């Protein structure tokens, strides 16, 4: 481009000099035109060198900056003069660097989460699979009585039920997280959702002699997804039944606030120490003292996800040895 500019300027000035020489017939005009052309060419040459060097430096800086961005180096420096084209390119490179760094952080976080998830699933699956192998090896290796055979088969059934429950829970969590399931909020009576949730724990509560009391106004309505809210409440109730001793008590109450509907699920169970209350909603979290109880540590995690995706939240008040109260807050609209 610079070469074309210089050639064009030289040809134009020579043509103008020749034209003036033809008009005036004086040699001085031709000499002056030649000198002016030479001066213009020299200055254009110097200008070309200046811009070529500056462009070369900018290209080198740009290559180093982009190499640093690719390898995750430091943020590119911004030019002081925001009016030049170099400064505008530098500004956009800084913005691009920020976007790349944020994407890199998200990828790293997702990778760590995936590693944790795979580790958790492996840990959850390892025990039932080992038990199944042990039982089947025993059945294959030696003769057993009919009673022993039934006990072994019952053990196999118990472990397969645990695996099935894990797969179903993981499927629900995955569909919620990926958006494969869309919660559809509709205005409806809360008592119907509570009845659906309580129906799933009636037999287990009766077996342990636990009384279940439900207090909810029949005309109390709230905008919610009935099916999935019942799933969340069932998980809270199921935990209450598991960790409440025989002849204990579970109470469910609902009341209307100005902006929320509050649901309390209270039990007289073992309670949760304050130091652990922040961790109980994590995926696969289980306390060491309750590993003899059935479950995989996904119930509270699912309950929180379901309630949160409807614009609500869950909080817990508990004291070790004196029971727990889980409060679910659902927006009225």
């Amino acid at each position: 481009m610079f070469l074309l500019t210089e050639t064009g300027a030289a040809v134009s000035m020579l043509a103008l000099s020749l034209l003036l020489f033809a008009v005036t017939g004086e040699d001085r005009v031709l000499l002056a035109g030649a000198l002016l052309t030479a001066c213009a060419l020299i200055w254009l040459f110097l200008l070309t060198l200046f811009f070529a060097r500056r462009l070369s430096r900018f290209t080198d800086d740009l290559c180093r900056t982009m190499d640093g961005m690719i390898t995750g180096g430091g943020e590119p420096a911004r030019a002081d003069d925001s009016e030049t084209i170099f400064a505008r390119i530098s500004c956009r490179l800084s913005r691009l660097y920020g976007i790349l760094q944020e994407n890199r952080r998200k990828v790293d976080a997702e990778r760590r989460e995936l590693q944790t998830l795979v580790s958790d699933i492996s840990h959850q699956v390892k025990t039932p699979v080992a038990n199944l192998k042990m039982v089947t090896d025993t059945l294959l290796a030696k003769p057993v009585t009919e009673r022993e055979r039934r006990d072994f088969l019952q053990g196999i059934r118990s472990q397969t039920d645990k695996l099935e429950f894990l797969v179903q829970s993981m499927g629900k969590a995955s569909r919620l997280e990926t958006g494969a399931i869309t919660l559809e909020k509709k205005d409806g009576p809360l008592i119907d959702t509570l009845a659906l949730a309580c129906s799933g724990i009636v037999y287990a509560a009766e077996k342990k002699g636990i009384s279940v009391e439900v207090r909810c106004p029949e005309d109390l309505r709230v905008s919610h997804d009935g099916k999935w809210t019942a799933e969340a409440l069932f998980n809270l109730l199921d935990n209450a039944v598991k960790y409440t001793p025989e002849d204990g008590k579970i109470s469910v109450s609902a009341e209307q606030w100005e902006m929320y509907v509050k649901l309390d699920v209270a039990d007289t169970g073992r309670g949760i120490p304050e130091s652990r209350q922040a961790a109980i909603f994590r995926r696969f979290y289980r306390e060491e003292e309750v590993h003899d109880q059935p479950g995989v540590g996904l119930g509270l995690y699912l309950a929180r996800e379901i309630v949160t995706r409807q614009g609500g939240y869950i909080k817990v008040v508990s004291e070790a040895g004196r029971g727990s109260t889980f409060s679910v807050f659902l927006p009225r609209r």
Side-chain angles (χ1 to χ4, degrees):
M1 184 180 67
F2 287 111
L3 182 60
L4 290 175
T5 303
E6 291 179 6
T7 304
V11 171
S12 299
M13 294 189 71
L14 285 173
L16 182 60
S17 299
L18 291 173
L19 179 62
L20 291 174
F21 174 73
V23 172
T24 60
E26 295 184 5
D27 294 339
R28 290 178 299 178
V29 173
L30 186 60
L31 179 61
L35 290 175
L36 288 174
T37 301
C39 291
L41 288 175
I42 292 172
W43 282 109
L44 284 173
F45 177 73
L46 294 175
L47 183 63
T48 300
L49 285 179
F50 172 76
F51 277 106
R53 290 180 179 177
R54 186 170 182 184
L55 183 61
S56 178
R57 287 197 302 270
F58 176 76
T59 303
D60 292 339
D61 292 341
L62 180 62
C63 290
R64 284 194 298 269
T65 299
M66 297 189 71
D67 288 339
M69 292 170 63
I70 293 172
T71 58
E75 182 178 0
R78 296 192 179 187
D80 295 332
D81 187 2
S82 60
E83 297 299 324
T84 64
I85 186 172
F86 303 106
R88 292 199 294 270
I89 294 176
S90 176
C91 178
R92 281 157 179 78
L93 281 175
S94 297
R95 292 170 57 186
L96 178 60
Y97 175 81
I99 294 172
L100 290 176
Q101 287 296 97
E102 181 63 26
N103 289 339
R104 186 176 287 114
R105 282 193 291 269
K106 288 181 179 179
V107 170
D108 291 340
E110 290 174 357
R111 184 184 295 112
R112 288 193 298 269
E113 185 177 355
L114 180 60
Q115 291 173 346
T116 303
L117 178 60
V118 171
S119 176
D120 289 338
I121 293 175
S122 176
H123 177 73
Q124 294 292 333
V125 171
K126 180 172 63 177
T127 301
V129 169
N131 291 337
L132 288 171
K133 290 178 65 177
M134 181 183 66
V135 172
T136 53
D137 288 345
T138 302
L139 289 172
L140 292 172
K142 66 176 184 178
V144 295
T145 64
E146 180 63 22
R147 181 174 180 179
E148 289 175 333
R149 186 183 70 84
R150 291 183 63 87
D151 289 342
F152 282 134
L153 291 176
Q154 186 63 39
I156 292 175
R157 177 62 182 270
S158 174
Q159 296 303 314
T160 53
D161 287 344
K162 183 175 182 179
L163 286 173
E164 181 184 20
F165 179 76
L166 172 63
V167 171
Q168 290 178 349
S169 299
M170 284 298 302
K172 292 175 183 177
S174 176
R175 285 182 291 168
L176 277 173
E177 291 171 349
T178 58
I181 295 177
T182 303
L183 275 63
E184 299 180 359
K185 296 175 61 175
K186 296 180 180 178
D187 184 71
L190 189 58
I191 189 67
D192 293 343
T193 304
L194 280 175
L196 181 61
C198 291
S199 64
I201 54 100
V202 170
Y203 175 75
E206 287 182 353
K207 190 176 180 180
K208 294 180 69 174
I210 298 173
S211 64
V212 180
E213 179 185 5
V214 178
R215 298 189 305 274
C216 177
E218 293 187 2
D219 59 345
L220 180 56
R221 302 176 68 89
V222 64
S223 178
H224 67 299
D225 186 303
K227 176 184 174 182
W228 284 100
T229 303
E231 174 80 18
L233 295 174
F234 165 76
N235 289 337
L236 298 179
L237 290 165
D238 186 53
N239 276 0
V241 173
K242 286 178 185 176
Y243 306 127
T244 298
E246 294 184 357
D247 301 322
K249 181 180 179 182
I250 297 174
S251 61
V252 182
S253 61
E255 59 179 315
Q256 182 172 295
W257 288 13
E258 183 176 351
M259 297 182 64
Y260 289 91
V261 169
K262 180 187 178 188
L263 277 161
D264 285 338
V265 178
D267 62 60
T268 57
R270 60 188 306 277
I272 306 166
E274 185 176 358
S275 59
R276 300 178 182 175
Q277 291 177 15
I280 60 175
F281 292 100
R282 291 207 309 258
R283 183 166 40 197
F284 294 117
Y285 176 82
R286 299 196 76 198
E287 296 181 348
E288 293 294 332
E289 298 87 347
V290 299
H291 277 289
D292 57 330
Q293 295 287 347
V296 294
L298 281 172
L300 292 179
Y301 171 78
L302 277 173
R304 186 189 63 177
E305 285 293 309
I306 292 168
V307 172
T308 301
R309 290 175 185 274
Q310 297 183 83
Y313 63 97
I314 299 179
K315 72 175 186 178
V316 59
V317 176
S318 183
E319 184 178 347
R322 304 194 64 176
S324 306
T325 299
F326 286 85
S327 299
V328 177
F329 295 84
L330 293 172
R332 293 178 58 186
R333 300 185 184 278

